[in-house]
Amino acid sequence: MAGDAVVLTVPGPHGDREVRISSPGRVIFPEVGITKLDLANYLVEVGDVFVRANGDRPVSLQRFPEGIDGEQFFSKNPPRGTPDYVRSVPVVYPSARSHPQLVIDEPAAAVWAAQMNTVVFHPWPSRAEDSDNPDQLRIDLDPQPGTGFADAVPAAIELRAVLQQAGLTAFIKTSGNRGLHVFAPIVPEREFLDVRHAVIAAARELERRMPDKVTTAWWKEERGERIFVDFNQANRDRTMAGAYSPRALPHASVSAPITWDELEHVSPEQFTVLTMPERLRTVGDPWESFAEAPGRIDELLGWWERDLSNGLGELPFPPDYPKMPGEPPRVQPSRAKKA
């Protein structure tokens, strides 16, 4: 009901803004009893670091009008009633169509998104004014059945070494679920396909070093009990949950930046909407220096060219993408054998 609304005062770079939260008592996370107002207050408390990590980027909002157990949908275009302090920029999707996409520039914009029942924020790896050229190289280490978070840890440590050899500084965060996200800041001078090829080159090098532990196999039937290095997350319009974004999981976990020293001693369950504000107050933001020294992907692209010359070509794209030059058939191996 309208009378139930609460108005939050949200500090920001342009002064305080008042954001109205309707139905503040609506339960978003039933298992832990976190409400819509709790979620909005979380974004007020972590607002500065949240914007530093996810701001000035096209972002998709994963919205749950009835809580995480109900229906969900994604918002990319600005919905009706978007405040004038929430901007949008045109971006080009894999279909070659261009549409406006939301951008979060200040904490009030994130709190407004919570008012719109957003739980998960999915920022692009590129900046709003240069969306065609990523400034982040992102690698998703995805545990497969029979593996878990603990198995992703040594893979992440070795991946850090791979990226360091290629001249890149790696940062790490929990996915908020079972996996790990390894990021590296890069100079925004290459388009998405180049960055995808750089990620594939790093993934293949990691696979060579840990063949029994990680895999680049796109088809699930070929992965086995290994960590999948998800190279397709590097594609245009493919996004991961942003740093400090809640995840739509029962315990209200958060995709949490951590230090490399912490990696072997943490579990993703300890970072939640309820615990993250205190962590930031006591530990600080492990990604505060993220953008200070971006690297280049030239070395990785050299590895890509080397692998091409050795017979390792393009890997499959997601099924909703246009067929790409040099791409292998998008046929599940067992089905291809029957054919």
Side-chain angles (χ1 to χ4, degrees), residues 222-304:
E222 295 183 331
R223 294 176 188 170
E225 294 186 1
R226 292 178 288 181
I227 301 299
F228 173 49
V229 189
D230 191 352
F231 53 88
N232 269 328
Q233 292 294 350
N235 291 349
R236 180 184 292 272
D237 195 34
R238 288 286 163 142
T239 55
M240 305 176 187
Y244 301 107
S245 171
R247 299 301 307 272
L249 296 169
H251 56 291
S253 61
V254 168
S255 183
I258 56 177
T259 67
W260 286 100
D261 289 340
E262 291 180 292
L263 176 58
E264 295 180 273
H265 310 289
V266 300
S267 64
E269 294 82 8
Q270 72 189 78
F271 305 115
T272 73
V273 168
L274 299 176
T275 64
M276 185 53 71
E278 180 61 23
R279 171 177 164 81
L280 285 170
R281 283 190 287 269
T282 57
V283 177
D285 178 15
W287 282 22
E288 185 173 1
S289 64
F290 184 96
E292 291 180 0
R296 287 185 159 83
I297 62 172
D298 301 57
E299 183 72 17
L300 289 176
L301 291 177
W303 297 1
W304 164 260

Side-chain angles (χ1 to χ4, degrees), residues 201-217:
R204 282 175 168 157
E205 177 61 24
L206 180 63
E207 187 176 34
R208 281 188 282 266
R209 297 184 185 191
M210 307 179 72
D212 297 327
K213 300 296 184 182
V214 305
T215 180
T216 59

Side-chain angles (χ1 to χ4, degrees), residues 40-182:
N41 278 322
Y42 165 76
L43 291 166
V44 174
E45 290 190 82
V46 305
D48 289 340
V49 295
F50 184 90
V51 172
R52 183 163 63 216
N54 304 297
D56 191 33
R57 301 179 182 278
V59 64
S60 299
L61 308 180
Q62 190 175 358
R63 297 165 59 185
F64 296 79
E66 302 302 327
I68 64 167
D69 294 335
E71 293 184 2
Q72 60 174 295
F73 62 96
F74 282 83
S75 282
K76 297 182 179 183
N77 298 344
R80 180 183 299 178
T82 300
D84 57 10
Y85 56 82
V86 180
R87 68 179 171 122
S88 62
V89 294
V91 297
V92 178
Y93 298 115
S95 64
R97 289 187 171 186
S98 178
H99 294 283
Q101 188 137 358
L102 292 160
V103 180
I104 290 175
D105 290 320
E106 58 178 288
V111 177
W112 163 80
Q115 155 61 16
M116 301 298 290
N117 303 300
T118 301
V119 173
V120 191
F121 296 77
H122 298 263
W124 278 40
S126 52
R127 294 286 178 175
E129 305 307 325
D130 189 15
S131 60
D132 292 331
N133 296 298
D135 69 339
Q136 294 177 344
L137 181 144
R138 301 175 171 183
I139 301 179
D140 180 15
L141 297 176
D142 184 11
Q144 299 303 291
T147 67
F149 182 82
D151 300 289
V153 169
I157 293 171
E158 190 60 36
L159 178 57
R160 182 192 189 191
V162 168
L163 294 176
Q164 186 174 29
Q165 182 179 338
L168 298 176
T169 301
F171 291 76
I172 191 163
K173 67 183 179 75
T174 65
S175 70
N177 197 354
R178 301 167 62 241
L180 285 164
H181 295 163
V182 178

